[in-house]
Amino acid sequence: MPPSPDADAAALPAAGARLAVAASMSVPASSASKRKLGVVFWIAVAWICLVVVMAVFAGLLPIDGPDNLSYLSKLGSSFSHPFGTDELGRDLFSRVIFGSRVSLEVGFGSIFLGLVAGGFAGLIAGYMRGIFDAVTSAVANVILSFPALLLLITVAAFWGRAWWKITLIIAIIATAPLFYVVRSSTISFAGRDFVLAARTMGASRWRIVTREILPNVMPAAISFGLIGVAIAIVAEGTLSFLGLSVAAPTPSWGNIIAEGQSSTAASDPWIWIWPTLIMFMTLLALNIAGDRLQRFFDVREGRL
Amino acid sequence: MTVSDPATAPQSAATAAPRPGPGGIAAAPLPPGLFHDGAVLTVEHLVVEFPAPRGRRVHAVSDVSFDVRDGETLGLVGESGCGKSTTGRAIIRVDRPTSGRVVFDGTELTALGPEALRRARTRIQLIFQDPISSLNPRRRVRDIVAEPLAIWQRGTPAEREQRVRDAITAVGLDYDAAADRRPHEFSGGQCQRISIARALMLDPKVVICDEPVSALDVSVQAQILNLLEDMKARYGLTLLFIAHDLAVVRNISDRVAVMYLGRLCELGPSDDVYARPAHPYTVALLASIPEPDPAAARNVTPIAGDIPSPIDPPSGCRFRTRCPFAQQRCTDEVPPLTAIGPERFVACHFPLATSGPRSSAGSAGSSPEPAPPIQVDTPPTAP
């Protein structure tokens, strides 16, 4: 049989072009911007990348060590000390960069672990339902009902303050919301006809979960995860501010801010303003990136 | 195709002893001639029930029996919620049948274990109503269409690509333009073409089309129906075509089965059923087909009321609550499927048209044939 010469089949590119024309005729600006992530998103991503690169290569940067004491430097900013020095004469710029290591390690590390554990459980619970879903949901509920910060403080106080311990605690707390996001997203996709089609074609459960559902769940998980990273950084910063995270002299954003508020440093607010500002910008960037990503994928979903 | 000898039919009335189904549904004996020799798909006393809140049950499909002969198209019609889609899904055991048997090509699907079912099911494929939902939005068209082959590891990558190319071309899409795109870049009609291409990859014997054109524009409906007809002829398919649109079904089906609230009302050759409907519900359905001519006289009042809840279906004949001819017997007894002519079956205590005591209603059946709104035979012209 020759392919029937019908409208929507004869010329795909032509059909696409017609669609594009129709779209541009109706609402050109909004339809165009809806499909893009936008400049703000890329600025946010660039900032996150900058912070991460600086943290990773902090040792190679032409800056003082975070524990170098230079008694001769003034407190205020100068060419060699762009953020100035703290009350002990340590370069603040260096301390903020080295301090970001702890924040980023804990932030990204805990969410990565939480996403792997919570995501895996969420996928299986959402697709299989039944007893596994009931049990994992109950566990997630229990985790969610702990007051997170109190739990963190208590565990950090009694268990220890190594960065990996903080990471692990935050990861466990983060597992529950990440589990729920992945689970609910999985449930909604598992009911779609393409999953049923895969079943009738004979795909195994593993194949359905990894090939059909996972790619659809990933965007939501990652955009939510970025926001999770911001929350985890705040949690670490709070612990650190309270002196319950990494011990001095290792810098972290939280303990630099805390030191900036001590009585001897009170004369120079920049000591806590700089780390606060960098932390704020990073959190903002993470939130914007996560939020834009979420909206971007929502729009794509909405088009379907 | 001749009417089979009951003794040799895969599931004849003689061998199918009435079995009481759950929920108090006693399977009625089947009329002789309902099943045929060489039927590729036989559905026998199919019951599908779903649990409902407070221990009640949704009677989605109640004691439905029919068969589909090799190479034919059986239309399964009824209004929304009548169980026609559930019937289709129960055949491939996507919805688990509560009781009853489904025999496909000599294999009893309802008796298979998971792995055997997985293998047997490849030869029955499903095409869905929502073409966009039936394609994974995150995968490229070439991967979607190749997926059945990838699952079963058939052929080398080069052979697979060639088969995908052939299938996509066969359904009327340009392979080079379509292969690397994702479903959201296509229209509903194009997505349905991709679904059809995918369904054909495993060389199915039977394709269950679950309202494949209901979500499409009327102009595109005809194209997809044409395509299905072409594919059927080209690949020797047998179609179970589920739809609520009688005009669509009429054009594509050799035989029509009418369902109402989980039960089969009427079964017969399309032209015969459309010309002389025997079940009052079929009459009402036919009367609901829009008449293109506004001046045409409409001599049938539409049936009143809503479809009753399948959780608590009416006793006896399920259509009795809306039937203009209902009598006491309709409340007391479930009308069995009865032969009223060659290849004609109806589940009604007082069938119309053939017995003729109710000429007033018979006029509805003998009214001029409703012109279908879709002219499937006319090839659509490209704009």
Side-chain angles (χ1 to χ4, degrees):
Chain A
M1 164 230 116
S4 52
D6 52 33
D8 75 331
L12 252 180
R18 263 190 285 117
L19 277 177
V21 169
S24 65
M25 284 195 307
S26 51
V27 265
S30 73
S31 66
S33 66
K34 260 181 192 166
R35 295 224 43 204
K36 288 181 186 164
L37 285 159
V39 181
V40 180
F41 171 81
W42 291 111
I43 293 174
V45 169
W47 175 260
I48 296 167
C49 290
L50 180 73
V51 171
V52 169
V53 167
M54 297 269 266
V56 170
F57 297 106
L60 303 175
L61 293 175
I63 51 174
D64 278 356
D67 305 327
N68 273 8
L69 309 178
S70 57
Y71 299 103
L72 298 176
S73 308
K74 287 180 286 184
L75 280 174
S77 63
S78 63
F79 183 74
S80 56
H81 304 292
F83 289 180
T85 56
D86 66 7
E87 83 276 17
L88 295 178
R90 294 175 296 193
D91 179 40
L92 203 55
F93 185 64
S94 165
R95 285 187 69 74
V96 168
I97 288 173
F98 277 91
S100 70
R101 284 182 160 182
V102 173
S103 298
L104 297 177
E105 277 167 355
V106 172
F108 282 98
S110 60
I111 296 303
F112 176 77
L113 290 178
L115 204 51
V116 170
F120 188 71
L123 271 175
I124 296 177
Y127 184 67
M128 303 292 290
R129 308 303 298 269
I131 187 80
F132 183 83
D133 184 28
V135 171
T136 46
S137 296
V139 171
N141 251 328
V142 169
I143 294 174
L144 274 184
S145 47
F146 279 125
L149 194 59
L150 274 179
L151 182 72
L152 263 180
I153 291 170
T154 315
V155 177
F158 286 97
W159 190 30
R161 304 154 69 180
W163 74 268
W164 64 269
K165 291 183 180 172
I166 306 290
T167 304
L168 208 58
I169 304 163
I170 297 180
I172 291 169
I173 295 171
T175 300
L178 289 166
F179 165 82
Y180 273 119
V181 166
V182 171
R183 175 182 170 270
S184 62
S185 181
T186 302
I187 289 172
S188 82
F189 281 108
R192 297 272 190 99
D193 286 342
F194 64 81
V195 171
L196 187 56
R199 263 175 73 196
T200 61
M201 291 183 297
S204 63
R205 283 169 178 170
W206 176 252
R207 193 181 176 94
I208 289 173
V209 169
T210 53
R211 299 285 181 97
E212 306 290 342
I213 294 178
L214 185 61
N216 286 291
V217 169
M218 279 300 262
I222 286 176
S223 44
F224 189 73
L226 281 176
I227 295 168
V229 170
I231 296 170
I233 288 175
V234 170
E236 191 281 329
T238 309
L239 283 186
S240 194
F241 183 82
L242 296 173
L244 290 167
S245 185
V246 289
T250 309
S252 82
W253 285 344
N255 68 26
I256 302 171
I257 296 169
E259 285 165 15
Q261 292 200 320
S262 68
S263 55
T264 44
S267 55
D268 187 4
W270 288 103
I271 294 175
W272 61 266
I273 288 175
W274 279 117
T276 310
L277 195 67
I278 302 296
M279 187 173 172
F280 167 76
M281 300 262 289
T282 308
L283 298 180
L284 188 65
L286 285 166
N287 277 305
I288 287 173
D291 186 55
R292 290 292 157 105
L293 219 50
Q294 210 154 22
R295 246 191 290 169
F296 176 72
F297 287 117
D298 274 355
V299 170
R300 301 257 309 225
E301 282 299 301
R303 284 165 46 84
L304 295 179
Chain B
M1 186 71 225
T2 53
V3 175
S4 71
D5 173 25
T8 56
Q11 274 312 310
S12 67
T15 56
R19 289 181 266 184
I25 296 168
L30 297 174
L34 180 66
F35 294 137
H36 304 83
D37 265 339
V40 67
L41 183 69
T42 306
V43 175
E44 186 193 325
H45 297 301
L46 183 72
V47 177
V48 185
E49 293 174 357
F50 300 108
R54 276 170 284 143
R56 298 195 293 178
R57 302 186 70 78
V58 177
H59 303 267
V61 178
S62 303
D63 193 16
V64 166
S65 304
F66 61 87
D67 69 357
V68 190
R69 286 176 286 180
D70 195 359
E72 83 167 338
T73 299
L74 177 70
L76 191 56
V77 293
E79 62 197 289
S80 300
C82 72
K84 56 192 190 300
S85 288
T86 307
T87 303
R89 292 163 60 100
I91 288 171
I92 54 165
R93 273 182 55 187
V94 170
D95 289 335
R96 209 168 225 301
T98 309
S99 68
R101 290 167 31 116
V102 176
V103 179
F104 166 67
D105 217 10
T107 312
E108 188 177 340
L109 292 181
T110 32
L112 294 181
E115 185 54 30
L117 176 70
R118 196 168 83 91
R119 294 188 177 282
R121 213 150 53 177
T122 57
R123 302 200 55 226
I124 308 182
Q125 287 293 304
L126 207 53
I127 294 172
F128 300 94
Q129 174 172 6
D130 182 350
I132 290 161
S133 165
S134 63
L135 303 177
N136 189 336
R138 300 249 167 260
R139 304 188 73 183
R140 294 174 307 168
V141 167
R142 66 161 82 225
D143 296 329
I144 291 173
V145 178
E147 178 70 6
L149 300 179
I151 290 170
W152 294 98
Q153 309 257 301
R154 290 194 188 165
T156 64
E159 286 167 4
R160 280 186 214 164
E161 172 155 1
Q162 188 55 45
R163 283 215 53 192
V164 171
R165 178 184 289 273
D166 292 346
I168 289 180
T169 310
V171 296
L173 293 175
D174 178 357
Y175 178 80
D176 295 314
D180 288 318
R181 299 196 186 192
R182 287 185 168 75
H184 68 85
E185 297 179 68
F186 295 87
S187 68
Q190 289 168 334
C191 284
Q192 203 60 294
R193 287 171 189 274
I194 297 166
S195 295
I196 293 169
R198 174 178 61 184
L200 296 175
M201 293 308 281
L202 292 172
D203 303 314
K205 184 83 201 136
V206 172
V207 176
I208 298 175
C209 308
D210 190 358
E211 307 221 21
V213 298
S214 304
L216 305 176
D217 286 348
V218 175
S219 61
V220 182
Q221 285 186 0
Q223 297 169 8
I224 297 298
L225 291 175
N226 276 337
L227 178 66
L228 281 171
E229 295 264 80
D230 288 339
M231 293 298 114
K232 183 189 163 192
R234 184 165 168 174
Y235 296 101
L237 303 174
T238 301
L239 299 184
L240 177 60
F241 192 94
I242 300 167
H244 60 251
D245 185 335
L246 282 111
V248 166
V249 168
R250 170 180 204 165
N251 280 309
I252 198 166
S253 304
D254 300 310
R255 289 192 300 151
V256 184
V258 182
M259 280 185 75
Y260 179 80
L261 202 60
R263 280 195 194 278
L264 203 58
C265 298
E266 185 159 8
L267 177 64
S270 306
D271 292 339
D272 204 24
V273 170
Y274 279 74
R276 286 177 299 280
H279 197 287
Y281 178 61
T282 314
V283 174
L285 265 188
L286 290 174
S288 72
I289 295 177
E291 182 66 57
D293 179 7
R298 299 183 65 89
N299 52 7
V300 173
T301 50
I303 52 172
D306 288 325
I307 189 163
S309 165
I311 291 178
D312 188 19
S315 65
C317 174
R318 291 195 176 167
F319 187 59
R320 68 176 167 81
T321 53
R322 299 166 78 187
C323 181
F325 315 116
Q327 298 181 18
Q328 186 57 40
R329 188 180 169 201
C330 303
T331 312
D332 300 336
E333 288 174 46
V334 176
L337 203 59
T338 319
I340 53 164
E343 292 290 308
R344 282 296 303 273
F345 304 93
V346 66
C348 180
H349 291 305
F350 308 103
L352 311 164
T354 46
S355 52
R358 234 172 275 100
S359 54
S360 60
S363 67
S366 59
S367 64
E369 293 183 4
I374 300 162
Q375 294 292 338
V376 174
D377 296 327
T378 317
T381 50

